[in-house]
Amino acid sequence: MSRKSWAISRREFFKHGALGLGAVLSPSLARLSWAASKERITIYNSSVTDTLNPYNHSSSPIYGIWQHIYEPLVEVAYNPVGYKGVLARSWELKGNRWLFHLRQGVRFHDGNPFSAKDVVFTINRIRTDRNSLQRDNFKDVVGMQAPDDHTVVFVLKQPNAVFLDRVQNRFMVSRVAAEKYGDQVDQRAIGTGPYKFVSFQRGGDFVMTRNDNYWGAKPEIKEVIVRRVTEAAARVAALEAGQADVINNLPVHDLPRLERNSRLRLEKVEGLRMFFLALNPAYKPFDNKLVRQAVNYSVDANAIVKNIFEGSGFVLNGPLGPHVIGYDPGHKRYPYDPKKARELLAKAGYPGGVEVKLYFSAGRYPQDREVCQVVGAQMEKGGFKVELVNQEWAVFWGTSGVNGGKLPFYYIGRGSLVDADTLYDQYFRTGTTKRVSYSNPEFDKLIEEEQKSANPKKRVALLQQAGKILMEEVPFVPLYNLADLYGVASNVVWKARPDEKIWVWDMSIKS
Amino acid sequence: MGVTRYLKIWVGGAILFALVICGLAAPYMASYDPQEQMLEHRLRPPSWGGGRSGAHWLGTDNLGRDILSRIIYGSRISLLVGATTVILAGFVGCFLGALAGYFGNLTDEIISKVTEIFLAFPFLLLAIALMAFLGQGLLNLILALMLSRWVQYCRVVRGEVLSLKERDFVVAARALGGRDLYVLLRHVLPNAFASVTVIATFAMAIVIIAEASLSFLGLGVPPSIPTWGSMLSEGRVYMYRAPWLTIFPGLAIFITVFGINLLGDGLRDMFDPKLRGQR
């Protein structure tokens, strides 16, 4: 080849170069100007399901993802707080029976109609599935009937005033599909929801597409991609680069910078997640009340909220936030007093201090690693020697961890808490779960009474009494509620819920 | 003449020496306990950069710990891990390499195959796999790095020994009735020492970076021990808000590795007769 044929005038070089550069940049420029579109929305969430079994978890943000595909009978509405029917049209409490009247004309994604038989099938599966982490919600159910296709009756051991709370977040699967596909049915994820399942990779993307035959209002956005990203910095970077349209758990320290970015906006809501340190009395040294109180005296939640969360949180005075049913303004949290903590430890038989391990799952909650480092340092002053143990979420939360009753001391948050009963029953009542293994007949009795009581005033009084016992016995260290922070592309119209559920059918795109 | 000729060795050696002093005298040089959290003082910029507190020369981190003190204490881990790994890997590698080169045949075959298996894995990947298997801890860290590092010595020493054992003075020693071990230790290995020293110096730099990488990934020592790598890892979240959290540990790694590489370069120049002639 001669040298000549390579020659190209400078003008030509720039012309072609500019064209090429433009071709390369134009899609990315278009992406920058409109971060989100009606075609597809991408959500980077710190918490995405680990399996396709919809019952193998009990976590608010993951309920939020599943509800795109599967639907519950009822859901919680905020402002004002109350229950709203989804697949149930109405419900009534008759003695120890709960009746649900189902919505008619609802079809599963495979075209089969939704009926009362599916409800009975679903609840039975939740109770018997080996991997189910939701079965304790129905431990009082002694019988279920489907008198016709659109009515379901639950027969309970005794009247239960909080049964709706047990029924929310229980997603209805298809009985017909289960019979047809056997143990492969979860891989198909056939529900009644506004979105249909497309694909899922463990630790990767959860992809859904709009259900055009949905019984309710049709969502505006066609495709949804939910990706698990536990690194806060990575979520923020993706949001700024336009790769993600919505991210959760925005780190507080990035707020000043992100607020200046005109392509983004911030969604802030006072979260319902109640953060605490669980102290399991089944393990030494936490079997001793004095030691548990010593932990309470040595943790300074105010300093954590003020510094680590830069004030964007609310320290609890007791087990509950002020908006929760059963809240008691009369509680006082244990003051930060490391000297008192050391005295109590000495009294409990640990004059030289005691070694404990604090378990957590880094990336699950905002700044959790830092919180645990600070708690560790604070407790050292109170006479404890703290070793931090970070575990993968699936290990931490599963039967080898919290839900197997294997962890003596861990950092956790109970999400979407609107009624004290949820927390008290799940964590502190004898035998409901193994999460804390605390057992107190007096406390159990109060919970039983409260659940039977249809009178709201009486219920609150009973819950407050139960709260007093918890604050004296302290199988936990109450910490704080946090402000939930979301980063959103500026053209996405969406209002964040206080329960960490991100619902794409609630979103629309400003054009 | 002497100083300029060995400038690299002088500068590199000085940096390494300063670092060793830092590590040894850490409790006297650091003005704070590296683990002490002062939440009220968190994210303070370096005092010479307009920070209000003159007390923190390089500022404080996200939990209000003094960065200078943490870097000083962190040098202990870097040096300890670097030096121990290089020495241990050196012993293992030289021993096996000498055996392979000197005895040849089946011994050589077996040892060479083993080294090839180790070489098939990228260094850091092997170290990560070993750490994941062994679990966190200082000893495990050294062990993992040593296991992924000895091969290089082995290959070089084997090559050296192969050529040395044919040389007249070795043949003579054998002819005079010297036993294998004696000949190997007395006549062969001392002549391979120059190359080993050079490899060891470069290896130390690589190991320090590897230690920082593993700590960065959370696979190194437990979080209660400050290391440069874990400082980088914890600080990167605050890259925009407080860049000094990552800049200074990064600089510490950079200067250390630079110094050690300089030293290695200088040593190579000194030992290499060809380069010596050119100067």
Side-chain angles (χ1 to χ4, degrees):
Chain A
M1 196 178 281
S2 75
R3 258 186 97 84
K4 193 97 206 243
S5 70
W6 279 100
I8 170 174
S9 79
R10 188 162 49 164
R11 181 176 304 197
E12 217 168 340
F13 173 79
F14 280 125
K15 201 165 80 187
H16 285 110
L19 271 177
L21 198 67
V24 170
L25 284 182
S26 60
S28 42
L29 286 177
R31 187 101 183 103
L32 286 181
S33 54
W34 289 118
S37 79
K38 292 183 185 183
E39 284 303 303
R40 174 188 292 176
I41 200 150
T42 308
I43 301 168
Y44 278 26
N45 200 315
S46 54
S47 167
V48 175
T49 179
D50 286 311
T51 75
L52 278 177
N53 182 336
Y55 309 120
N56 188 13
H57 74 101
S58 62
S59 147
S60 198
I62 297 177
Y63 288 132
I65 295 170
W66 277 124
Q67 197 167 339
H68 289 78
I69 293 173
Y70 300 115
E71 291 178 299
L73 295 179
V74 299
E75 71 187 25
V76 173
Y78 301 97
N79 217 354
V81 175
Y83 289 98
K84 195 178 140 207
V86 183
L87 290 179
R89 209 161 24 83
S90 61
W91 49 87
E92 48 195 309
L93 171 61
K94 282 187 178 166
N96 62 342
R97 283 158 185 264
W98 273 89
L99 259 72
F100 290 86
H101 303 287
L102 304 183
R103 197 175 290 281
Q104 306 197 7
V106 175
R107 283 181 182 277
F108 282 102
H109 298 154
D110 61 359
N112 285 307
F114 162 74
S115 81
K117 290 199 186 82
D118 297 301
V119 179
V120 174
F121 174 81
T122 297
I123 307 300
N124 275 331
R125 172 161 174 207
I126 292 176
R127 297 204 315 170
T128 53
D129 190 323
R130 212 163 42 87
N131 296 314
S132 165
L133 289 178
Q134 304 172 10
R135 65 170 74 93
D136 45 81
N137 290 290
F138 300 108
K139 65 183 190 309
D140 294 342
V141 175
V142 290
M144 278 180 291
Q145 292 143 17
D148 61 68
D149 271 359
H150 304 291
T151 313
V152 181
V153 182
F154 290 86
V155 185
L156 307 180
K157 265 188 224 152
Q158 67 248 336
N160 188 338
V162 291
F163 191 63
L164 287 181
D165 173 73
R166 308 299 191 258
V167 172
Q168 67 137 335
N169 288 329
R170 309 297 148 236
F171 296 124
M172 297 301 140
V173 292
S174 159
R175 183 182 59 97
V176 177
E179 275 164 10
K180 189 166 160 198
Y181 300 115
D183 54 2
Q184 290 302 303
V185 68
D186 285 345
Q187 317 303 317
R188 294 171 187 266
I190 296 166
T192 56
Y195 283 89
K196 291 194 285 195
F197 174 72
V198 176
S199 67
F200 166 67
Q201 292 164 292
R202 193 174 186 275
D205 292 356
F206 194 99
V207 185
M208 298 175 279
T209 188
R210 184 171 57 205
N211 173 11
D212 287 321
N213 299 317
Y214 184 55
W215 58 267
K218 214 167 87 172
E220 185 174 300
I221 294 157
K222 188 151 180 249
E223 198 179 43
V224 182
I225 298 175
V226 188
R227 179 173 293 178
R228 168 154 64 191
V229 182
T230 48
E231 284 278 344
R235 286 196 300 274
V236 171
L239 181 72
E240 288 181 291
Q243 286 167 0
D245 305 313
V246 179
I247 67 168
N248 78 331
N249 289 0
L250 205 68
V252 198
H253 51 81
D254 275 335
L255 283 183
R257 186 176 97 257
L258 296 175
E259 270 164 358
R260 289 195 298 271
N261 189 333
S262 63
R263 288 191 293 106
L264 310 175
R265 84 190 163 80
L266 307 170
E267 260 303 301
K268 185 172 175 176
V269 60
E270 189 177 333
L272 290 171
R273 189 172 288 280
M274 182 270 183
F275 288 92
F276 62 101
L277 298 163
L279 304 169
N280 192 331
Y283 293 89
K284 271 190 183 308
F286 304 116
D287 55 335
N288 192 324
K289 183 171 101 180
L290 296 176
V291 174
R292 301 198 299 267
Q293 288 178 337
V295 182
N296 272 274
Y297 277 115
S298 58
V299 175
D300 185 359
N302 282 299
I304 296 174
V305 167
K306 184 172 164 222
N307 297 295
I308 301 298
F309 296 109
E310 305 187 3
S312 165
F314 316 87
V315 175
L316 301 175
N317 71 335
L320 310 165
H323 307 305
V324 181
I325 297 167
Y327 170 74
D328 187 346
H331 286 315
K332 274 210 179 76
R333 61 178 295 114
Y334 288 71
Y336 174 58
D337 189 348
K339 210 174 130 230
K340 176 102 183 170
R342 282 197 303 275
E343 284 169 23
L344 285 173
L345 271 190
K347 226 196 224 172
Y350 302 99
V354 60
E355 285 181 30
V356 294
K357 283 182 182 172
L358 172 55
Y359 292 81
F360 68 105
S361 182
R364 175 65 182 79
Y365 301 125
Q367 268 108 317
D368 39 20
R369 186 190 292 273
E370 287 164 275
V371 167
C372 290
Q373 279 178 302
V374 173
V375 166
Q378 289 174 345
M379 285 176 64
E380 307 255 313
K381 291 192 179 124
F384 294 87
K385 177 103 191 65
V386 185
E387 187 190 326
L388 301 184
V389 186
N390 174 19
Q391 296 182 324
E392 273 287 317
W393 178 256
V395 177
F396 174 84
W397 185 244
T399 44
S400 59
V402 172
N403 275 294
K406 299 280 165 61
L407 304 186
F409 180 34
Y410 56 92
Y411 177 62
I412 193 81
R414 178 57 171 90
S416 62
L417 191 65
V418 285
D419 190 313
D421 171 75
T422 323
L423 177 76
Y424 291 177
D425 190 35
Q426 231 173 25
Y427 279 86
F428 303 118
R429 188 186 192 181
T430 309
T432 308
T433 68
K434 294 179 177 166
R435 292 179 193 174
V436 180
S437 308
Y438 170 72
S439 180
N440 178 339
E442 198 188 337
F443 179 84
D444 293 346
K445 196 146 193 302
L446 285 169
I447 299 302
E448 201 185 320
E449 286 295 314
E450 156 269 309
Q451 291 187 349
K452 267 194 271 189
S453 164
N455 175 349
K457 269 217 178 108
K458 195 178 152 207
R459 268 199 72 223
V460 168
L462 289 164
L463 286 169
Q464 288 179 337
Q465 231 176 310
K468 280 202 183 68
I469 296 179
L470 283 185
M471 285 311 280
E472 165 61 24
E473 296 262 299
V474 281
F476 72 131
V477 182
L479 295 173
Y480 38 72
N481 292 136
L482 293 177
D484 290 347
L485 296 166
Y486 298 87
V488 186
S490 56
N491 64 331
V492 176
V493 183
W494 173 65
K495 181 104 197 62
R497 293 166 59 89
D499 59 9
E500 301 168 29
K501 294 175 181 173
I502 303 175
W503 286 348
V504 175
W505 65 87
D506 265 357
M507 297 179 188
S508 60
I509 304 294
K510 227 178 351 193
S511 50
Chain B
M1 182 73 184
V3 175
T4 46
R5 180 162 170 194
Y6 296 124
L7 186 65
K8 286 179 180 173
I9 297 184
W10 281 110
V11 174
I15 292 176
L16 193 63
F17 181 72
L19 219 65
V20 171
I21 295 293
C22 245
L24 289 177
Y28 306 100
M29 292 180 72
S31 31
Y32 295 91
D33 175 349
Q35 287 302 93
E36 192 193 350
Q37 301 175 359
M38 287 163 283
L39 285 181
E40 301 293 324
H41 293 218
R42 75 195 284 267
L43 301 178
R44 288 274 165 92
S47 53
W48 43 265
R52 279 160 295 156
S53 61
H56 302 288
W57 274 21
L58 300 184
T60 60
D61 71 2
N62 51 338
L63 300 178
R65 296 173 296 196
D66 184 57
I67 291 183
L68 180 60
S69 304
R70 287 176 75 72
I71 288 183
I72 292 174
Y73 271 90
S75 70
R76 288 183 155 186
I77 297 298
S78 292
L79 287 178
L80 183 69
V81 171
T84 332
T85 309
V86 163
I87 291 168
L88 284 178
F91 269 115
V92 175
C94 289
F95 177 69
L96 291 176
L99 286 187
Y102 191 78
F103 293 109
N105 298 333
L106 189 63
T107 322
D108 188 21
E109 278 292 310
I110 295 172
I111 293 176
S112 294
K113 280 287 171 288
V114 174
T115 56
E116 274 160 27
I117 291 171
F118 273 85
L119 278 175
F121 295 98
F123 164 55
L124 199 59
L125 193 68
L126 186 62
I128 289 173
L130 285 168
M131 278 316 283
F133 177 70
L134 295 167
Q136 278 194 342
L138 192 57
L139 277 180
N140 289 348
L141 183 65
I142 293 171
L143 191 65
L145 289 172
M146 189 211 71
L147 280 175
S148 16
R149 210 61 229 172
W150 64 276
V151 182
Q152 209 195 3
Y153 292 92
C154 187
R155 300 285 284 205
V156 171
V157 170
R158 174 181 168 272
E160 289 273 329
V161 171
L162 268 182
S163 83
L164 282 168
K165 77 172 179 186
E166 304 298 334
R167 302 269 284 273
D168 288 345
F169 66 93
V170 177
V171 177
R174 286 225 297 259
L176 285 169
R179 273 169 305 166
D180 286 337
L181 191 67
Y182 171 79
V183 175
L184 199 56
L185 288 181
R186 183 72 212 217
H187 295 282
V188 179
L189 275 181
N191 282 291
F193 187 69
S195 330
V196 171
T197 314
V198 174
I199 298 177
T201 336
F202 286 123
M204 181 148 168
I206 294 171
V207 166
I208 286 177
I209 291 183
E211 181 274 320
S213 312
L214 288 174
S215 299
F216 182 87
L217 294 172
L219 290 167
V221 295
S224 52
I225 306 173
T227 72
W228 297 342
S230 56
M231 288 175 76
L232 274 181
S233 164
E234 286 181 27
R236 77 187 188 286
V237 184
Y238 294 89
M239 197 96 93
Y240 291 102
R241 168 90 171 266
W244 56 92
L245 261 63
T246 40
I247 288 177
F248 295 117
L251 263 181
I253 297 173
F254 169 75
I255 292 172
T256 307
V257 170
F258 176 72
I260 294 173
N261 275 333
L262 215 54
L263 184 67
D265 233 23
L267 287 174
R268 194 184 54 201
D269 292 356
M270 194 173 78
F271 286 133
D272 192 330
K274 282 185 218 138
L275 288 174
R276 195 154 45 189
Q278 281 170 0
R279 286 280 168 95

